Amino acid sequence: MGKGKKFSLVLFRVSMAICLFVALPGLTYAAPVPIHSGPQFVEGYYADPDVQNFNGTYWVYPTRPSQVGEPSSTGAKSIDIFSSTDLVNWTKYSNVISSANISWLQHALWAPSGAYRNGKYYIYFAANAINGDGQLGGIGVAVADNPQGPYTDAIGAPLINVVRNGAGPMDQDVFIDDDGQAYMYYGSWGEANVVKLNADMKSLGTWPDGTVYKKVTPAKTGNNDFFEGPKVFKRNGIYYMTYSAGVWVDSTYKVMYATSSSVTGPFVPKGIMLHSDSTTAYGPGHNGIVKSPDSEDWYIFYHKRYLNNPDWDARVLSYDKFGFNADNSIIPVEMAVGDNFNDGDDVGWTKHGGTWTVSAGQYNVASNPGAKALLDTNFSNMIYEADVTPGSTGNAGLVFRVSNPGTGADAYQGYFAGLDVPNQRVVIGKANNNWTSLATASMSLTANTKYHIKIVAQDASIKVYVDDMAASKISITDSSYVGGKIGVRTYNSAAKFDNISVESSQYETENINVSATSGDKHLLFGEGSGPDPNLSGGYGAMLEADAVNDYVTYTVNVPEARSYSVRVGVKKGPGRGQFQMSVNAANHGPVQDLYAGSLSYAELNVANITFSSAGNKSFKFNVAGKNDLSSGYFLALDYIKLIPN
């Protein structure tokens, strides 16, 4: 189940909190530092990635979809694995386990996971999709002398072929503790078990009480309960279990996590680590976790689905860096979008006209009367950056908020901002199967020279920066198009593109680093049978307050010293309370009332604030009371948005 190779920028992350970056006054553009490249890191549809690092090399073990001769009703009968030393360039090893070397494999080989011990490499896998005792199938194990194989069946039969504690024998993951004891966590159908592995790694041990299977399902609250795919790792003496919740064939699929002080639990749910985002991708889940052997960097590998591909099995592999708060909680992951083309391909890009190639770590296009390449995204308010090298004729640049793309110079709806070398100017305009110029700005431009372009789009406000990130070249107001794909475009010019990145310039409340809470509970809402399309990203954050002066505080990185209109997306309704916002302990704006007779959505202009400095600010939403008609004090928040005045 796989999807996803992305480009995440240090510029966009401060302490891994959701951040917005604009250079400080007086500073010019500095090249961003990429973590990795591309909208997916290996070509093709894959899923359920486990990841290990053996001697400095990363190994990824995914499920692959059915191929010719394998009915979709039974599934794949072999697996491919991938290796990389830099998380950018990947080598594929095909059919390392298949029905050719697993005699009892009949169909449906999936969710492999890797392990190493005593000079041997192991792959544990699920096969044959059994649903009860006495059937041929369950969890198997194969062994090899090298991580790339060839692998052979270690015991000639399933290692686990029974259902205990309601846990389906599948989605296994091996964890070796600090004392060298190996454990295997596994489970689906809403339950999880852990077993001890003996030193031979191919037989099960017993617990001190004589049992073999221990139930470790994270406590169920009725809110994103465990479904499948347990993965355990250890940090600072804490056992973390990540797992998938929701339905794996739709956008409810997500990664949750729980913690424990013991390998056998109890595991206490702590929250959502990764979820669908209507700007980026759906159904991220069934993940692997790995720590860099050379640093404190941690990575989550997972599969996801592109926004506009309805095929549930069209999953691709992704990974993102993630971090921890001071209290050891995991900072929620935001799926990054971009490409630095260091991997030498343009997998994930859709081309409309022109001849596109990747070479020398850049995306190249020959001169063409209107060629576009787009990523499957849906951004509205955004910070979109890229390096653009225009040719000597025509113009080249970035398109955004694009819909209905086709082949042809203006065959799309959306905006274009680019560099016009012949006329020595920066241009911005909009297309709707025709062209409307919106503004130009004079600038000395040299053909075949790299320029850094940044677009900051906030509602109707659109600013274009070139090289100097402190002062925009163009600032316009236009509300024709509110959201859509991002991409690159050329018009009668050869061009090169590099270091592409885009992130929402809204602070999504479900992802912002929550530094303090009071009241009963701070939780995610907008789940239902899927993310709420009325909420940005599909989700919001709820403070289930029970008294005046309960509060929730978010850390927000203010991008530059200036005046902003601070706007907050909310969900009004019965049981909602009133709040007043403060920033760094100073109240701003009037008391806001979220009560309504029925559910509704609104964007509140909470306050106009002049910040004397850039950097992290503490935004506090303090419960101020409740409407006479309200029965509660709940606050339902969607996003925080800073609009430059």
Side-chain angles (χ1 to χ4, degrees), residues 294-309:
D294 304 317
S295 69
E296 291 303 309
D297 293 340
W298 289 81
Y299 296 91
I300 178 171
F301 282 65
Y302 56 94
H303 70 250
K304 64 182 181 182
R305 296 178 182 83
Y306 288 125
L307 296 178
N308 292 301
N309 193 330

Side-chain angles (χ1 to χ4, degrees), residues 446-630:
T446 302
N448 304 313
T449 298
K450 182 183 294 185
Y451 297 91
H452 189 73
I453 298 178
K454 180 174 70 177
I455 296 164
V456 179
Q458 295 273 44
D459 293 347
S461 170
I462 301 173
K463 297 179 183 294
V464 181
Y465 299 77
V466 182
D467 280 354
D468 182 359
M469 299 293 103
S472 60
K473 293 293 183 184
I474 294 176
S475 180
I476 66 167
T477 300
D478 189 272
S479 58
S480 300
Y481 305 111
V482 298
K485 302 175 188 292
I486 62 101
V488 295
R489 176 181 179 268
T490 183
Y491 177 71
N492 289 334
S493 174
K496 299 177 181 179
F497 303 94
D498 200 1
N499 294 325
I500 290 165
S501 67
V502 59
E503 283 194 331
S504 173
S505 55
Q506 291 181 172
Y507 301 89
E508 303 298 324
T509 58
E510 75 274 15
N511 281 342
I512 292 176
N513 183 16
V514 180
S515 57
T517 60
S518 183
D520 292 335
K521 190 185 298 183
H522 175 262
L523 49 78
L524 192 74
F525 74 93
E527 301 150 280
S529 60
D532 189 330
N534 296 289
L535 296 167
S536 63
Y539 296 93
M542 174 82 81
L543 173 65
E544 290 191 353
D546 55 15
V548 171
N549 295 326
D550 286 347
Y551 61 88
V552 60
T553 303
Y554 297 103
T555 299
V556 175
N557 186 39
V558 174
E560 58 182 339
R562 64 173 301 154
S563 174
Y564 294 91
S565 170
V566 180
R567 303 179 189 177
V568 179
V570 299
K571 186 176 183 181
K572 294 187 172 183
R576 303 300 198 266
Q578 299 170 332
F579 74 85
Q580 186 168 38
M581 186 184 74
S582 65
V583 179
N584 287 357
N587 288 337
H588 291 276
V591 171
Q592 303 283 340
D593 193 341
L594 298 188
Y595 174 80
S598 59
L599 297 178
S600 61
Y601 301 84
E603 182 176 278
L604 306 179
N605 192 348
V606 176
N608 290 304
I609 305 177
T610 298
F611 292 96
S612 60
S613 64
N616 285 344
K617 313 294 180 183
S618 178
F619 281 64
K620 181 179 181 181
F621 296 86
N622 194 71
V623 175
K626 61 182 178 181
N627 185 287
D628 290 340
L629 299 175
S630 176

Side-chain angles (χ1 to χ4, degrees), residues 225-236:
D225 289 337
F226 175 92
F227 178 63
E228 64 184 2
K231 168 71 183 182
V232 170
F233 65 96
K234 190 176 184 180
R235 177 182 179 273
N236 290 346

